[in-house]
Amino acid sequence: MTKQLLDRALTIDIEAFQIDLVLWFTHDHRDMPWRKERDPYKIWVSEIMLQQTRVDTVIPYFERFMAQFPTVDALAAAEEEKVLKAWEGLGYYSRARNLHSAVKEVHEKYGGIVPNTPKEILSLKGVGPYTAGAIASIAFGLPEPAVDGNVMRVLSRILLIENDIAKPQTRKIFEEAVRLLISKENPSYFNQGLMELGATICTPKNPSCIVCPVQKHCEAFHKGIQTELPVKKKKIKKRTVPVAIAMLQNESGETIIEKRPETGLLANLWQFPNIEISDRNLTKEHLKTYLEERYPIQVDLNDHLVDFQHVFTHLTWQISVYAGSFKAKEPITNGTIVNAEQLDAYPLPVPHQKVARLMKGE
DNA sequence: GATACGTGGCA
DNA sequence: TTGCCAAGTAT
């Protein structure tokens, strides 16, 4: 495969390609907060936030995060709860926990200085092959590949690579391609140029080949098959999980929330008590029984208030919200009782944020 | 290698 | 409405 790839890469004028790409990025790149300086910590945080997440979504989170945790040492000293709260709504929360853990390692093991070798960078928790390459090239100017979905799309078209980009193995092929093509003079702009091109011009649908700075190097364009690439196998259908959420209040207007398990979906975030529904007709009774078994409380449940869906990558929650009242017979240990104002301090996943707003009457 | 892991935007 | 997409990683 590598030999084949080498032949294909050599069919284009590598030096001209580098110049066209880097020059284009130099003049046409979008302005982003993390592009204002070369602080490896900021590059690192931005790259973690940008994993599977759009630039426009990330920008406000990045600004707030940097205001709150401006340095490695500041983030290392923070409580996990605060970090998760800053990440609330961004998704893929293990990114926040892994970043926090890795930053603490950098604080302790490297004196707060982000390591500058590809091997050490890759060893950091939450940093995989793409992110390691991005940090190495953008923060330290090293000629390392940083292959994300954009890069695979762009290069699949330019080099006419037809491997399925949904397969993990395929990424390695593109890394080999980048090692052949990357500008040794400016690896940072070369890698960012590839990604920027994919994000703005060489898009999945309706690529703007007319204004593409590397059009003359593109095999797919010459053959008129750019929309056929990249090859990507379709995903399987996701399952639906019915969930009943209890929105409880006592006479003081306080409610019960609990912390989710430290692993799995939405790990370490907080939520309103809930159960998976087995039989829709018996939901109200099941929920009441569950609540009174789990907590030392007496529950009075109303008929269900509203239904809504929340779609995850791999499953869908079909949610029914049940309002009701409770009286605590003893102190609660496996959850906590909070008022509306205190609730704001807890990191909640989006569907539970919706319940919180419901309870406040918003 | 396949699957788990969030969320919001868009055709 | 439904499905796909967006600067992936861990297990």
Side-chain angles (χ1 to χ4, degrees):
Chain A
M1 185 60 220
T2 305
K3 168 92 169 56
Q4 221 172 38
L5 184 65
L6 182 65
D7 293 344
R8 189 149 319 143
L10 289 179
T11 63
I12 72 170
D13 183 338
I14 294 178
E15 196 170 329
F17 175 70
Q18 293 172 345
I19 291 171
D20 289 339
L21 182 65
V22 170
L23 223 49
W24 170 77
F25 181 77
T26 302
H27 295 301
D28 276 22
H29 70 265
R30 295 169 293 174
D31 193 28
M32 298 174 196
W34 48 89
R35 285 180 173 167
K36 288 176 181 165
E37 47 190 308
R38 207 135 311 162
D39 181 347
Y41 168 67
K42 294 185 178 178
I43 303 295
W44 179 10
V45 172
S46 73
E47 289 301 339
I48 300 297
M49 287 187 170
L50 286 162
Q51 289 168 6
Q52 300 288 285
T53 312
R54 286 185 166 74
V55 168
D56 289 345
T57 304
V58 166
I59 288 175
Y61 280 91
F62 179 82
E63 301 276 28
R64 288 195 298 269
F65 202 89
M66 281 307 148
Q68 196 175 354
F69 313 111
T71 63
V72 165
D73 293 339
L75 182 56
E79 291 172 20
E80 181 180 283
E81 194 100 328
K82 303 280 189 191
V83 179
L84 283 173
K85 185 65 188 177
W87 211 270
E88 183 185 69
L90 239 200
Y92 286 143
Y93 299 96
S94 66
R95 292 185 296 175
R97 293 184 296 110
N98 288 152
L99 172 63
H100 190 209
S101 167
V103 159
K104 284 198 274 193
E105 186 193 342
V106 169
H107 171 75
E108 290 159 16
K109 185 173 169 184
Y110 299 98
I113 309 296
V114 179
N116 63 0
T117 69
K119 190 178 173 184
E120 288 172 309
I121 297 168
L122 183 61
S123 77
L124 298 170
K125 211 170 290 184
V127 175
Y130 161 73
T131 305
I135 295 172
S137 61
I138 299 171
F140 300 115
L142 302 174
E144 292 291 314
V147 175
D148 68 344
N150 288 129
V151 173
M152 289 197 281
R153 181 171 60 256
V154 170
L155 291 185
S156 74
R157 288 169 177 168
I158 290 173
L159 302 177
L160 222 58
I161 295 173
E162 299 180 285
N163 302 63
D164 180 2
I165 66 167
K167 292 186 186 298
Q169 199 177 351
T170 302
R171 196 201 68 250
K172 296 178 184 175
I173 294 169
F174 286 95
E175 285 175 348
E176 284 308 307
V178 172
R179 287 190 188 281
L180 294 172
L181 298 174
I182 193 167
S183 161
K184 306 299 187 296
E185 289 72 37
N186 199 340
S188 169
Y189 275 27
F190 182 89
N191 279 342
Q192 291 188 77
L194 240 29
M195 292 188 276
E196 188 85 348
L197 193 63
T200 61
I201 290 175
C202 196
T203 49
K205 292 166 188 169
N206 307 315
S208 307
C209 301
I210 300 302
V211 296
C212 179
V214 295
Q215 183 202 91
K216 65 171 171 289
H217 305 286
C218 186
E219 295 286 339
F221 177 77
H222 292 319
K223 293 194 172 184
I225 57 171
Q226 61 271 193
T227 54
E228 312 294 316
L229 294 167
V231 174
K232 188 176 184 180
K233 193 188 62 186
K234 281 169 193 151
K235 291 178 219 160
I236 52 157
K237 211 175 121 185
K238 65 189 65 153
R239 70 182 196 279
T240 297
V241 178
V243 176
I245 298 181
M247 193 176 84
L248 301 174
Q249 285 187 296
N250 63 16
E251 290 178 339
S252 309
E254 297 164 323
T255 192
I256 298 175
I257 56 173
E258 59 188 24
K259 193 170 182 173
R260 291 180 60 86
E262 62 187 18
T263 57
L265 182 65
L266 306 168
N268 282 3
L269 271 69
W270 290 71
Q271 64 181 1
F272 293 93
N274 64 83
I275 56 168
E276 287 188 21
I277 303 170
S278 51
D279 183 340
R280 208 175 191 315
N281 296 320
L282 296 174
T283 298
K284 188 174 156 185
E285 284 312 308
H286 280 161
L287 188 55
K288 175 180 162 65
T289 303
Y290 166 78
L291 291 167
E292 293 184 340
E293 281 176 359
R294 179 170 172 78
Y295 301 106
I297 60 175
Q298 186 183 324
V299 173
D300 187 10
L301 233 41
N302 302 327
D303 286 334
H304 85 90
L305 189 62
V306 289
D307 284 0
F308 64 91
Q309 267 198 351
H310 186 78
V311 180
F312 295 95
T313 304
H314 57 299
L315 60 87
T316 300
W317 276 354
Q318 180 60 48
I319 296 167
S320 297
V321 181
Y322 288 79
S325 60
F326 77 96
K327 285 183 181 174
K329 296 185 287 192
E330 296 169 29
I332 289 176
T333 55
N334 51 352
T336 185
I337 297 181
V338 294
N339 62 33
E341 192 185 338
Q342 292 165 331
L343 187 55
D344 290 335
Y346 291 85
L348 303 177
V350 164
H352 286 270
Q353 288 176 38
K354 288 183 181 173
V355 177
R357 286 198 293 272
L358 265 179
M359 199 174 63
K360 295 178 190 172
E362 290 173 11

